[in-house]
Amino acid sequence: METPWGQLGSLDLADHELAADILSADKHQLVEGLVVECLFDQIVANVPAVSGQNVIALDVDSVVVNTMRKEDCWLCFVWARSKTEGLGRYLLALEKCFIPYLVTYSDGEFMATRVRGGKRVLPARPLPELMLELSGGKMTPFRVDGSVKNRNRQRQAFWGFISEYYQGSLGERVVLPRILINCAIQPYFRAVWNLDRIFIVDDAVWLFEIKHKFPMDRNGLHFGINDGELGMLEMLAGAGIRCLHTILVKPFWSKDVGSMYLLNDLNMRTQAAIIAAVLDGATTGRIMGRRSGRSGAHTSITGSSGLSFKSISAADFKVLGQLSDPPLDVAAKMSAVMAGAQSAPVSDDWLRSLRVQSLAHG
């Protein structure tokens, strides 16, 4: 498969300099988000120990595509790095709302095959070949606007944390997923979303999402979620896949501050709230009925156009704690929210009390 850095099979995925170059093609906020995902994973790892439930983390990367076609509109490409228990259950659930394709990677090539009834129904084909067919021969190289690619913030996140955290698994865990999306899928379709983390909890399929953002202050505190993503989550909910939508609330209410403060300033961890809401069918339907707003261009994946979004009140979220809390405590509250137990709602006053006006105050 061809990439901007050469044939995929010829790339040295163990080369961290190359990895930094590949990630620099994305928004700096996306690269910084990888730092937050790492911290989130360390909390989630404690959920099985505190929930009393059978929790299986699927070793997958999932990419949802809205083709905008009249038929077979919604697709989902599931790269299964390994065939863990629960994968078939996940594919069966996806089939209720999307056309799933199972993706494998070997010898520098992504291969994909249609799935029906949780099983492969056709021989695997090179993914770029399949995407060209699915898109009707349309292909436009995916590029991100330079205005949302701050090289200094990209370098800080990569060399300050990501490189050391992933070490020898960087290629498989970080670089290949970005190449899969940016080079093998996004050039053919623009309405693309990746699903953060998939878990089987007892017999239920859960999507765990983590966002790093600050609230809007408009007649009370609210968080935005773009209309396309919300519509996709509503379809998942209709298929019985529930979403735990978690936000690590930035103490700096500014898009000009990245994620490295979480590592460089221990005091800031006490100011970073962790909140969550279960987005099931009833909740997504209620939010979908609200009037949409319009966000700035920096919020889109390319940084070149704004997005329509819905607002979710801060009070619709539950308190999980602060980043400085013991991971076991946060995981226990996370499990309680998923189980529908009574949990403390987020208050505007609490979030405002954690706000830091500037880095100088940290």
Side-chain angles (χ1 to χ4, degrees):
M1 189 182 93
E2 186 65 33
T3 79
W5 305 275
Q7 281 289 325
L8 178 54
S10 70
L11 301 183
D12 181 4
L13 298 178
D15 183 347
H16 283 218
E17 291 282 357
L18 176 61
D21 189 33
I22 291 173
L23 290 181
S24 71
D26 276 304
K27 292 169 58 174
H28 58 258
Q29 287 180 325
L30 187 146
V31 181
E32 291 169 339
L34 295 175
V35 175
V36 176
E37 289 180 17
C38 293
L39 299 176
F40 180 66
D41 285 344
Q42 293 174 55
I43 294 172
V44 170
N46 292 277
V47 170
V50 298
S51 67
Q53 297 172 295
N54 182 31
V55 180
I56 303 170
L58 297 191
D59 191 16
V60 299
D61 273 294
S62 307
V63 185
V64 175
V65 175
N66 181 359
T67 67
M68 307 295 181
R69 298 183 307 211
K70 292 183 178 179
E71 296 182 0
D72 296 342
C73 179
W74 287 86
L75 316 175
C76 186
F77 298 89
V78 179
W79 173 25
R81 294 188 188 86
S82 59
K83 306 301 190 295
T84 53
E85 179 186 355
L87 176 61
R89 192 178 311 169
Y90 175 47
L91 292 172
L92 284 171
L94 286 176
E95 202 171 332
K96 296 177 183 178
C97 54
F98 306 138
I99 295 176
Y101 287 84
L102 186 63
V103 177
T104 57
Y105 176 80
S106 180
D107 299 325
E109 192 73 71
F110 283 109
M111 305 290 289
T113 182
R114 174 79 177 267
V115 172
R116 185 178 292 116
K119 299 179 180 179
R120 300 178 180 89
V121 293
L122 294 170
R125 301 169 57 187
L127 184 56
E129 176 187 307
L130 175 64
M131 295 303 296
L132 199 62
E133 177 183 302
L134 292 172
S135 66
K138 298 177 182 178
M139 188 274 198
T140 305
F142 176 67
R143 293 188 177 89
V144 174
D145 193 83
S147 64
V148 291
K149 293 196 295 184
N150 184 310
R151 293 302 299 272
N152 188 46
R153 287 172 63 170
Q154 289 172 334
R155 285 192 295 266
Q156 286 177 343
F158 182 82
W159 293 112
F161 183 80
I162 295 169
S163 173
E164 177 64 22
Y165 181 86
Y166 284 102
Q167 297 187 16
S169 65
L170 180 70
E172 182 182 39
R173 293 291 167 179
V174 178
V175 177
L176 280 177
R178 298 315 308 160
I179 289 177
L180 172 64
I181 295 173
N182 292 349
C183 303
I185 298 178
Q186 194 84 65
Y188 302 92
F189 298 104
R190 283 298 182 255
V192 174
W193 299 268
N194 66 302
L195 307 182
D196 288 351
R197 304 288 185 272
I198 303 296
F199 290 82
I200 307 295
V201 182
D202 284 343
D203 292 326
V205 181
W206 280 84
L207 162 64
F208 282 18
E209 284 194 317
I210 179 65
K211 306 292 184 183
H212 182 224
K213 59 175 68 176
F214 59 91
M216 302 172 287
D217 196 351
R218 301 171 184 169
N219 297 318
L221 300 185
H222 297 79
F223 294 92
I225 180 170
N226 82 63
D227 287 0
E229 179 183 7
L230 185 62
M232 182 266 297
L233 292 176
E234 186 174 38
M235 294 180 70
L236 288 173
I241 300 175
R242 306 176 78 189
C243 172
L244 184 70
H245 187 72
T246 308
I247 298 177
L248 179 60
V249 184
K250 296 173 67 171
F252 308 101
W253 292 10
S254 166
K255 64 182 177 66
D256 297 323
V257 178
S259 58
M260 294 307 290
Y261 71 89
L262 296 169
L263 307 173
N264 298 333
D265 189 338
L266 293 179
N267 289 328
M268 285 301 99
R269 296 188 184 189
T270 67
Q271 304 297 120
I274 307 175
I275 63 178
V278 173
L279 299 184
D280 54 17
T283 304
T284 55
R286 185 173 68 252
I287 298 169
M288 285 290 284
R290 297 170 184 168
R291 180 179 299 178
S292 295
R294 190 74 181 174
S295 65
H298 69 277
T299 60
S300 68
I301 190 64
T302 61
S304 57
S305 61
L307 294 170
S308 296
F309 71 92
K310 307 291 187 186
S311 292
I312 310 176
S313 169
D316 288 334
F317 289 82
K318 304 297 184 182
V319 174
L320 299 186
Q322 286 136 271
L323 190 58
S324 56
D325 293 344
L328 273 172
D329 292 353
V330 178
K333 292 179 180 178
M334 185 180 293
S335 179
V337 169
M338 293 170 62
Q342 287 293 323
S343 303
V346 172
S347 72
D348 288 6
D349 287 344
W350 180 60
L351 289 183
R352 288 194 173 100
S353 73
L354 297 175
R355 183 180 183 182
V356 176
Q357 295 299 324
S358 71
L359 279 170
H361 294 141

